[in-house]
Amino acid sequence: MHAEPGAGRLLLAAAALFVVWAWVPEQRDPLPAHVAEPADADALAALPADTAFLLAGTLEVSGDATAPPWQGRDVYVHRARRDHGGHGSSRHLQVDVVAQRRPAVRFHWAGGTVDIAADSYRLEHAPRIEPADRGDRGDRSSRGFRDGDTALALGRTGDDGRYWVESLLQWPLYAVQGDIASEHRKRMRLVIAAKIVATLFVLALLSPQRGADKRRRAPTVSR
């Protein structure tokens, strides 16, 4: 006869499975909790200090015009998956920044022009650049803009009417949100696969056959 799992083991297994299936990775939001969208320069200047704001406008690259574009982008971060050695399960693949160009740009919007210093802004939510080289096809995280592209500028205000741009985003905003949602769906498929594996592992620990095998392996003491 096979012994049934004890009540304690069943409770622990149930608690473990509840934790596994209750956890869901949070979907990122490209914007802070409260963002102002000023209509003109006066509205922007009137914002209190430490207020996040979002502007829509066009980019004009005002940096080094001799620097070559990459895949048609004048502003970009080029990432690719690189093999850092190892074999089989110890093989180490990592997404690296191969090159980037974040020159000074002028952002033209309804309230005028904002000068943005080189290397002072992020591009996490800029338009994706589909890989063209064979070595880059394992990764789709490269992003960038062309000179003259419409974009969103996410910034923050400081004291005495100062403000600065922290990030350049794809326009319109729903395109950014759709891009994030697509990545979240891909991540959720991996999470669900991992949860199924964890569930099968927990159920295997509760298997009566496993308990019988452990008893058969238990050492005997002869008198």
Side-chain angles (χ1 to χ4, degrees):
M1 295 178 63
H2 297 306
E4 296 296 330
R9 290 174 59 194
L10 287 175
L11 287 175
L12 288 175
L17 291 177
F18 175 80
V19 171
V20 166
W21 286 98
W23 179 79
V24 177
E26 183 180 359
Q27 181 171 322
R28 294 178 299 142
D29 192 328
L31 302 181
H34 304 287
V35 181
E37 298 185 43
D40 52 36
D42 291 338
L44 177 59
L47 293 175
D50 199 29
T51 299
F53 62 83
L54 188 68
L55 311 176
T58 58
L59 296 177
E60 176 191 354
V61 177
S62 57
D64 182 8
T66 63
W70 177 68
Q71 289 194 200
R73 268 61 169 194
D74 303 283
V75 179
Y76 61 84
V77 54
H78 173 198
R79 298 187 182 95
R81 187 170 297 177
R82 293 291 185 253
D83 189 344
H84 289 265
H87 300 281
S89 60
S90 63
R91 188 180 181 189
H92 181 47
L93 297 176
Q94 179 176 307
V95 176
D96 296 329
V97 175
V98 178
Q100 59 181 317
R101 184 185 181 223
R102 292 178 295 155
V105 298
R106 306 191 76 191
F107 188 80
H108 304 284
W109 69 295
T113 298
V114 179
D115 291 314
I116 307 175
D119 300 321
S120 67
Y121 53 90
R122 300 187 298 272
L123 296 170
E124 286 92 343
H125 301 300
R128 288 187 184 275
I129 304 175
E130 293 297 331
D133 301 327
R134 176 176 297 179
D136 293 346
R137 288 179 184 169
D139 179 68
R140 294 181 61 252
S141 59
S142 297
R143 298 176 179 270
F145 292 98
R146 297 180 178 87
D147 188 15
D149 275 353
T150 302
L152 296 171
L154 178 63
R156 189 166 292 275
T157 58
D159 297 325
D160 303 323
R162 295 181 301 110
Y163 57 87
W164 57 89
V165 171
E166 298 176 333
S167 183
L168 294 176
L169 291 71
Q170 182 177 0
W171 179 90
L173 183 60
Y174 68 74
V176 179
Q177 295 166 335
D179 191 31
I180 293 174
S182 176
E183 286 299 306
H184 183 72
R185 286 192 294 270
K186 293 177 183 177
R187 187 163 61 250
M188 280 303 301
R189 285 196 288 267
L190 295 176
V191 169
I192 290 173
K195 288 182 177 185
I196 292 173
V197 171
T199 300
L200 294 175
F201 176 75
V202 171
L203 294 177
L205 293 179
L206 294 177
S207 169
Q209 183 61 43
R210 178 181 173 86
D213 292 340
K214 289 178 66 176
R215 287 193 301 275
R216 282 197 296 268
R217 290 196 300 267
T220 57
V221 178
S222 59
R223 295 180 178 274

